[in-house]
Amino acid sequence: MNNQEPSIPILGKNETFAALHLKAHEYILEKQEDLEYEYGFGQYDRYTLDENNHILSYFLDNELKLQIEYLIIGQFEKDLQQWTWQWVEQADLLNEGSDLEIIRNYGEFYGMEALHLDKWIADLGYAWAVTAIAAYLRRSLGIFRLQGNSIDQFILLKEIVA
């Protein structure tokens, strides 16, 4: 585990990161459009979380419309302006081939600090950027932000359940 103090990754100066972010952004826009077209994503009036089974359920007029399996990948602390990868919170999630370990290994191999440092100073834009890249690398169906008072969690939408 990387226990370095948070710092600002060299996001804008890393051409490889910038190119990957562009691809990821295009990918996630296409996936979000697919969800909107096929499932009416974005038109629901509320959602619930089943944290034990990692299921996100969307409702419209109290009728269940969509359920998606999700994976929390990280969190953004608003007061500290800090991104923290989920592997810091749940070390048991890191194992060979896990969704998070693949992202971390990719970042280490290509020298992209934002994808392998445990924590770093960020803004909301960078949180969305690494979430989009994670979705692209994992071929996720989409991304979503669970907003909290001081901490937002970022998730990958993995699979349609119902």
Side-chain angles (χ1 to χ4, degrees):
M1 190 176 291
N2 185 349
N3 291 321
Q4 294 178 340
E5 284 296 312
S7 63
I8 299 172
I10 309 169
L11 301 178
K13 297 182 181 184
N14 184 323
E15 290 179 23
T16 306
F17 182 90
L20 180 61
H21 179 236
L22 180 61
K23 283 183 184 178
H25 183 75
E26 291 170 357
Y27 171 83
I28 207 62
L29 283 178
E30 181 179 316
K31 289 299 182 181
Q32 296 289 121
E33 287 174 5
D34 290 347
L35 285 173
E36 288 171 16
Y37 178 75
E38 293 179 35
Y39 300 99
F41 197 75
Q43 299 174 20
Y44 310 120
D45 53 25
R46 70 180 179 93
Y47 66 87
T48 61
L49 290 176
D50 176 346
E51 294 180 25
N52 293 328
N53 296 308
H54 298 269
I55 302 293
L56 188 56
S57 299
Y58 292 96
F59 297 84
L60 182 60
D61 297 327
N62 290 321
E63 182 181 341
L64 177 63
K65 293 292 187 178
L66 179 66
Q67 289 186 305
I68 302 177
E69 181 182 0
Y70 70 89
L71 172 71
I72 298 172
I73 62 156
Q75 63 186 27
F76 175 68
E77 286 187 69
K78 298 170 191 174
D79 295 340
L80 297 176
Q81 293 287 290
Q82 178 175 283
W83 171 263
T84 303
W85 284 99
Q86 188 66 14
W87 61 68
V88 174
E89 302 299 317
Q90 297 175 323
D92 61 325
L93 288 177
L94 284 182
N95 57 48
E96 185 107 14
S98 76
D99 288 326
L100 294 175
E101 184 67 11
I102 289 168
I103 295 163
R104 187 178 193 185
N105 288 342
Y106 188 96
E108 286 177 350
F109 185 81
Y110 289 103
M112 296 181 204
E113 295 170 324
L115 300 180
H116 73 83
L117 290 179
D118 292 345
K119 299 178 180 187
W120 42 275
I121 303 303
D123 63 19
L124 189 56
Y126 284 152
W128 278 114
V130 295
T131 302
I133 290 171
Y136 175 71
L137 294 175
R138 299 308 314 136
R139 297 295 188 227
S140 298
L141 297 176
I143 57 179
F144 194 73
R145 175 175 64 155
L146 303 171
Q147 296 185 46
N149 290 331
S150 61
I151 297 175
D152 292 345
Q153 293 182 311
F154 286 78
I155 64 173
L156 302 184
L157 304 176
K158 292 178 66 171
E159 183 178 346
I160 303 293
V161 176

